[in-house]
Amino acid sequence: MANIKSAKKRVLVSEANYQRNKSYRSAIKTALNEKLSTTYAANAKIFVGQATYNKLATLKDENNNYILQPVLAAPGKYAVDGHEVVVLDTVYGLNDVIVGDFNQILNIERK
């Protein structure tokens, strides 16, 4: 009886984790593909706090691969769908995900 209960619980937990992962991935992809103009999306980076980065590091896609992948050309850096992930210091208190091309913001401010 215990094995059946454990198996049912594993299935429920697995489904809940899959739905959570799907919503995170969907939100990031929506921000990159729909919310940003193509001008900004090309060089966009994903800015996260340490806690969010830890969550992001555990997310997997439908093929059971981690969505946070190492950048082969730059050891120690990671990317999601080819966009670099930048971890900001926890001093800023960032719990959300910020997606954008901050070079464009600097260029606008300098004009």
Side-chain angles (χ1 to χ4, degrees):
M1 193 62 136
N3 288 338
I4 293 172
K5 285 176 131 178
S6 297
K8 285 181 180 180
K9 184 176 180 180
R10 273 195 305 275
V11 168
L12 291 174
V13 168
S14 177
E15 180 61 25
N17 287 341
Y18 172 76
Q19 292 301 327
R20 185 195 71 222
N21 293 352
K22 187 176 171 183
S23 69
Y24 276 112
R25 285 193 325 268
S26 177
I28 291 171
K29 287 186 178 193
T30 299
L32 289 168
N33 298 334
E34 296 176 14
K35 303 288 183 187
L36 289 176
S37 71
T38 54
T39 306
Y40 303 126
N43 297 319
K45 292 184 180 181
I46 302 168
F47 296 86
V48 298
Q50 186 64 50
T52 306
Y53 179 81
N54 291 341
K55 286 181 189 175
L56 197 60
T58 64
L59 300 180
K60 294 184 177 185
D61 63 11
E62 54 276 350
N63 296 325
N64 210 27
N65 297 320
Y66 289 102
I67 65 167
L68 189 64
Q69 294 291 317
V71 177
L72 299 178
K77 292 187 177 183
Y78 291 88
V80 173
D81 289 339
H83 297 279
E84 183 182 347
V85 176
V86 178
V87 181
L88 299 177
D89 194 1
T90 54
V91 171
Y92 298 111
L94 180 64
N95 291 324
D96 296 326
V97 176
I98 299 173
V99 178
D101 183 359
F102 280 80
N103 290 329
Q104 291 296 330
I105 292 172
L106 293 175
N107 288 339
I108 291 169
E109 289 296 320
R110 289 182 184 152
K111 288 182 181 179

